[in-house]
Amino acid sequence: MRFEPRSTSTEKIVDPNAAYMEFDLTTDMGYGEWLAFFMQRDVVARRFNGYLLQTDVNVGQISTTPIEIHLYTRGMFVSSPGETEEYYYELPRPSLRLARAYFLPDSADQDHIQGYQPKLDELLGLDLWFQDESGEQMIYTFFYTAELQTENGIHRIERYQLQ
């Protein structure tokens, strides 16, 4: 089944000057780069105070529950921070398609994005495209920091801090 990434609302949410790095999660090399992206950073890079499930174009569900993503060669898992494996929600690797890491580069480096390695405090959010066996796509967006306007009000998501 051919994968065509559906549009994401994330680019409208993050800072308009944000750049992103893209990872092809369907290949061993792309998935390895994705794993390395997090291995180069502290555990707090995998913890978030909010996320958005984009179920369709411009349709999503927001949660301000703290979560942590766990990365393994067999796939990704989502849980509350510090929970053990029996509490994980699994995103199996065969269904993972594409990932983007959005960041706001230091203003001095904005003209030199090629090969840029964003620092943790420059990261804004992650998009993760997941496609099930029927071809349905879900975009999981994990926010480091964001302000989301909904019909229920404004949701301010702050960067996760280790206590």
Side-chain angles (χ1 to χ4, degrees):
M1 176 180 313
R2 184 165 156 74
F3 172 71
E4 289 291 329
R6 198 182 69 221
S7 294
T8 175
S9 299
T10 309
E11 290 182 39
K12 296 178 210 166
I13 297 169
V14 298
D15 189 297
N17 295 315
Y20 64 83
M21 299 170 65
E22 194 165 271
F23 303 86
D24 179 355
L25 302 181
T26 63
T27 67
D28 287 341
M29 187 169 129
Y31 194 77
E33 289 172 345
W34 177 245
L35 294 176
F37 178 80
F38 289 98
M39 291 190 329
Q40 296 168 355
R41 291 165 174 79
D42 191 34
V43 68
V44 77
R46 294 179 288 126
R47 292 185 176 176
F48 307 87
N49 281 325
Y51 61 95
L52 171 66
L53 298 178
Q54 298 183 52
T55 54
D56 205 347
V57 177
N58 295 321
V59 176
Q61 300 169 321
I62 297 169
S63 175
T64 54
T65 304
I67 60 159
E68 179 176 356
I69 57 174
H70 305 269
L71 302 151
Y72 299 101
T73 55
R74 68 184 191 272
M76 290 180 51
F77 298 82
V78 180
S79 73
S80 296
E83 288 295 342
T84 57
E85 194 165 344
E86 61 263 20
Y87 297 102
Y88 290 179
Y89 175 76
E90 181 177 7
L91 300 171
R93 185 167 170 206
S95 299
L96 297 172
R97 299 290 182 245
L98 181 70
R100 285 186 185 157
Y102 296 89
F103 61 97
L104 190 58
D106 182 322
S107 61
D109 292 318
Q110 286 192 3
D111 294 331
H112 302 88
I113 293 298
Q114 189 70 22
Y116 188 79
Q117 288 297 317
K119 299 172 202 71
L120 182 58
D121 64 347
E122 295 173 329
L123 293 172
L124 301 173
L126 307 173
D127 272 340
L128 182 66
W129 278 260
F130 180 87
Q131 186 174 31
D132 66 19
E133 302 81 30
S134 70
E136 290 292 318
Q137 283 185 44
M138 173 78 73
I139 303 171
Y140 292 84
T141 303
F142 304 98
F143 290 108
Y144 291 100
T145 180
E147 187 171 294
L148 307 169
Q149 174 71 49
T150 68
E151 58 197 32
N152 297 327
I154 296 175
H155 301 273
R156 286 185 180 82
I157 299 171
E158 300 294 325
R159 196 170 297 278
Y160 189 94
Q161 301 291 320
L162 291 175
Q163 307 299 331

